[in-house]
Amino acid sequence: MILLETRELTKRFGGLTAIDRVSMHIEEGDIVGLIGPNGAGKTTLVNAISGLNPPTSGRVMMFGRETTGFTPERMCRRGLSRTFQIPIPFPKMTVLENVKTAAIFGNKAGKVDDPVAHSREMLAFVDFPLAEDTISEKLNTVQLKRLDLARALASHPQLLFLDELASGLSEAELQDMMKLIRKISGQGITILMIEHIMQLIMSVCNRLVCIQFGKKIAEGATAEVARDPAVTKAYLGDASISCPTA
Ligand SMILES: Nc1ncnc2c1ncn2[C@@H]1O[C@H](COP(=O)(O)OP(=O)(O)O)[C@@H](O)[C@H]1O
Ligand SMILES: [Mg+2]
């Protein structure tokens, strides 16, 4: 079953077409990798779907209904959560309070009986390494990303977007993150992840969508897309990323 579909989705910033008529889809149970060189338009695509920065033209369909231009709150209550490339929590609030905010405001009224207990469950689920009363501005990047993930999960998403969740992790942390992504998928949550780390993409994603200069250049099964000459060329043209077939 198709959970989400974009049709000719386009986002322009003045004269720059950051995403250009992108049509793609996500099926129930997928872990889709959204790949492409820096500046390709990956975050812009996620922002256009999730409502943070609505599209200029084109359509978004979620669970078979049109959601084009919906606000992030509305998308969240319909079952879409996302994390951010650079997470920004409420800095003066504790870790628990940050997750609690999502547990209270990210769900339909009455869905969560006990927001504190639910928030603790989410922090435990993501193996949050610090005490729940730690002030959020004290967190390092890796801890911030785990908190952001706990927050995103607190609203009971059916579909979860992850924006470079694994960047900056050590090898051991990367292994933990792979396990965590599989654990989330095992809960029945469909995932779209923007990712550069090929080891992670190749081991967890069943499908890939590759964009370059705002245009989709490939979509399909992971192994096929990874050996697609257009994809390899896009990556070889960007010295900061290793070739996916290497
Ligand atoms: N809010 C914005 N205003 C103007 N230009 C933007 C904005 N957001 C992104 N862009 C531009 O859109 C292009 C795609 O950016 P982005 O989606 O962040 O790429 P990626 O996530 O693939 O690295 C870049 O050229 C970027 O500078
Ligand atoms: Mg980005």
Side-chain angles (χ1 to χ4, degrees):
M1 193 182 87
I2 292 179
L3 281 200
L4 185 125
E5 194 184 348
T6 67
R7 296 184 191 159
E8 305 265 310
L9 206 66
T10 297
K11 178 69 185 182
R12 289 193 197 93
F13 296 110
L16 174 83
T17 305
I19 50 167
D20 193 358
R21 289 166 289 151
V22 172
S23 300
M24 49 85 77
H25 75 274
I26 302 170
E27 288 184 34
E28 188 170 13
D30 269 348
I31 305 182
V32 176
L34 177 57
I35 64 170
N38 288 323
K42 303 178 297 295
T43 298
T44 304
L45 179 60
V46 158
N47 289 347
I49 297 169
S50 64
L52 193 69
N53 216 332
T56 311
S57 62
R59 298 172 75 187
V60 181
M61 310 285 295
M62 190 161 75
F63 306 119
R65 293 168 74 179
E66 176 138 23
T67 58
T68 315
F70 279 22
T71 60
E73 308 84 89
R74 212 166 159 201
M75 292 302 271
C76 178
R77 293 210 178 98
R78 289 229 175 166
L80 174 70
S81 282
R82 52 90 53 98
T83 65
F84 289 85
Q85 192 168 350
I86 300 164
I88 305 174
F90 296 109
K92 302 290 179 196
M93 281 168 40
T94 67
V95 163
L96 183 67
E97 285 164 347
N98 263 291
V99 183
K100 206 170 88 184
T101 306
I104 293 169
F105 295 105
N107 288 292
K108 290 189 175 128
K111 171 104 181 162
V112 177
D113 289 337
D114 185 343
V116 172
H118 182 58
S119 302
R120 287 193 174 126
E121 211 180 292
M122 295 302 106
L123 286 167
F125 185 87
V126 304
D127 290 317
F128 193 76
L130 305 176
E132 64 180 36
D133 60 355
T134 308
I135 301 297
S136 301
E137 67 184 357
K138 300 214 166 105
L139 305 187
N140 67 30
T141 310
V142 173
Q143 294 156 353
L144 276 175
K145 292 204 170 205
R146 290 236 167 193
L147 172 61
D148 205 32
L149 186 56
R151 178 200 52 73
L153 290 169
S155 57
H156 295 91
Q158 284 174 266
L159 181 57
L160 179 64
F161 289 173
L162 307 173
D163 195 349
E164 300 201 23
L165 191 64
S167 57
L169 299 186
S170 68
E171 179 59 33
E173 288 165 341
L174 188 62
Q175 295 300 325
D176 287 347
M177 189 54 82
M178 284 189 208
K179 279 191 207 140
L180 183 52
I181 292 168
R182 289 202 188 94
K183 191 165 86 165
I184 295 167
S185 175
Q187 301 277 306
I189 299 173
T190 301
I191 296 171
L192 172 82
M193 50 191 279
I194 297 178
E195 196 47 77
H196 283 304
I197 303 165
M198 276 299 159
Q199 188 193 349
L200 179 58
I201 293 164
M202 298 307 287
S203 85
V204 306
C205 298
N206 65 305
R207 291 178 66 246
L208 297 181
V209 173
C210 182
I211 59 174
Q212 184 188 24
F213 304 125
K215 290 190 167 69
K216 185 180 84 177
I217 58 168
E219 176 174 11
T222 299
E224 266 167 52
V225 172
R227 61 168 177 264
D228 186 314
V231 174
T232 312
K233 192 160 165 270
Y235 273 83
L236 283 172
D238 182 348
S240 68
I241 301 162
S242 61
C243 169
T245 52

